[in-house]
């Protein structure tokens, strides 16, 4: 069984699109009918995120910590207890492609580290979008770690000690520990996950703060400075 880990804090505006994309990926023919189970970790949610999960038939577990590492770990623990052999991780404000799960497994590694791009549905500023794409590494062996496009075998996850209780960079810490324990990592160009271009996220120091810093640095450029094409 393949498990999908999704942490969420008040993501009612985006969770349906996220789950819809994962449910489509779960039907990919290359999975040969293998069961896929999704667990959303509702972290201190006060909106309709949980109701939407229930409506779509997706399992949700609740934590009250405002800590993405703890939330991911809670969802992962639930899936491992149900017998998951592989954990695929994404974020509640992201949309995965139809070959997401099949593509992760096709690499045959212990850990899959994939790339993300900004979701056109979130209407990113074109200047910000261009700057992000210039900074992202698009080739194989890119060295990027994104919690929105991460996969790890159950064995490698357990050996690495699972997600740490970190407010951000819990994905980076997990991959670094997995590498330290001898795990084989695929730094893959595809499949690519689309993620929100919002500048106010749910975790301090997370991806939204990274984008906000990029936008702020662009705004600070003098008007005659060269800008991203």
């Amino acid at each position: 069984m393949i498990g999908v880990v999704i942490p969420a804090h008040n993501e009612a505006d985006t969770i349906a699109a996220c789950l819809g994309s994962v449910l489509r990926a779960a039907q990919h023919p290359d999975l040969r009918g293998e069961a896929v189970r999704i667990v959303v970790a509702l972290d201190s949610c006060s909106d309709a995120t949980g109701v939407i999960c229930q409506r779509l038939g997706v399992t949700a577990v609740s934590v009250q910590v405002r800590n993405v590492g703890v939330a991911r770990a809670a969802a992962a623990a639930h899936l491992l207890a149900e017998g998951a052999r592989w954990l695929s991780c994404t974020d509640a404000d992201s949309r995965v492609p139809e070959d997401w799960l099949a593509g992760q497994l096709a690499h045959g590694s212990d850990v899959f580290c994939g790339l993300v791009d900004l979701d056109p549905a979130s209407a990113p500023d074109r200047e910000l979008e261009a700057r992000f794409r210039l900074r992202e590494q698009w080739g194989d062996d890119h060295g990027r770690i994104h919690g929105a496009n991460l996969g790890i075998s159950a064995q490698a996850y357990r050996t690495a000690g699972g997600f740490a209780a970190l407010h951000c960079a819990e994905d980076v810490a997990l991959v670094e520990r997995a590498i330290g324990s001898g795990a084989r990592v695929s730094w893959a160009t595809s499949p690519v996950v689309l993620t929100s271009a919002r500048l106010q996220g749910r975790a301090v120091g997370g991806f939204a703060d990274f984008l906000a810093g990029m936008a702020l640095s662009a705004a600070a450029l003098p008007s005659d400075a060269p800008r991203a094409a």
Side-chain angles (χ1 to χ4, degrees):
M1 182 262 284
I2 301 163
V4 178
V5 171
I6 305 173
H9 170 67
N10 289 346
E11 296 284 9
D13 291 339
T14 60
I15 191 67
C18 173
L19 293 177
S21 70
V22 175
L23 290 168
R24 286 188 291 274
Q27 300 301 314
H28 196 280
D30 287 354
L31 296 180
R32 301 181 185 277
E34 183 171 1
V36 175
R37 297 184 185 173
I38 307 167
V39 174
V40 176
L42 303 172
D43 188 358
S44 307
C45 287
S46 58
D47 67 355
T49 304
V51 174
I52 295 169
C53 292
Q54 184 177 32
R55 187 178 72 217
L56 294 175
V58 171
T59 299
V61 296
S62 294
V63 294
Q64 301 291 327
V65 290
R66 287 305 309 275
N67 183 296
V68 67
V70 172
R72 285 198 202 274
H78 187 98
L79 289 161
L80 291 172
E82 290 190 343
R85 68 179 182 92
W86 180 265
L87 299 173
S88 293
C89 302
T90 193
D91 290 335
D93 64 338
S94 300
R95 293 187 294 127
V96 306
E98 292 186 2
D99 65 342
W100 181 56
L101 297 171
Q104 287 194 359
L105 293 169
H107 286 274
S109 57
D110 302 309
V111 182
F112 172 92
C113 292
L115 295 170
V116 301
D117 200 357
L118 301 186
D119 191 343
S122 62
D125 175 85
R126 293 189 65 184
E127 176 72 15
L128 176 61
E129 185 177 15
R131 285 185 169 276
F132 170 76
R133 288 177 175 167
L134 283 173
R135 291 191 60 173
E136 186 77 328
Q137 300 293 325
W138 294 103
D140 286 328
D141 299 323
H142 51 76
R144 300 293 196 191
I145 301 171
H146 296 290
N149 193 8
L150 176 67
I152 186 168
S153 72
Q155 180 178 347
Y157 180 84
R158 290 188 173 104
T159 301
F163 285 111
L166 299 174
H167 289 281
C168 68
E170 77 295 337
D171 46 0
V172 175
L174 175 64
V175 173
E176 288 178 345
R177 290 198 310 274
I179 292 171
S181 65
R184 297 169 296 122
V185 179
S186 291
W187 306 95
T189 301
S190 65
V192 175
V193 167
L194 297 178
T195 196
S196 170
R198 66 189 180 190
L199 303 183
Q200 292 184 330
R202 303 297 187 260
V204 175
F207 188 72
D209 281 359
F210 168 73
L211 290 180
M214 192 180 298
L216 185 61
S217 64
L221 286 174
S223 59
D224 59 348
R227 293 180 176 265

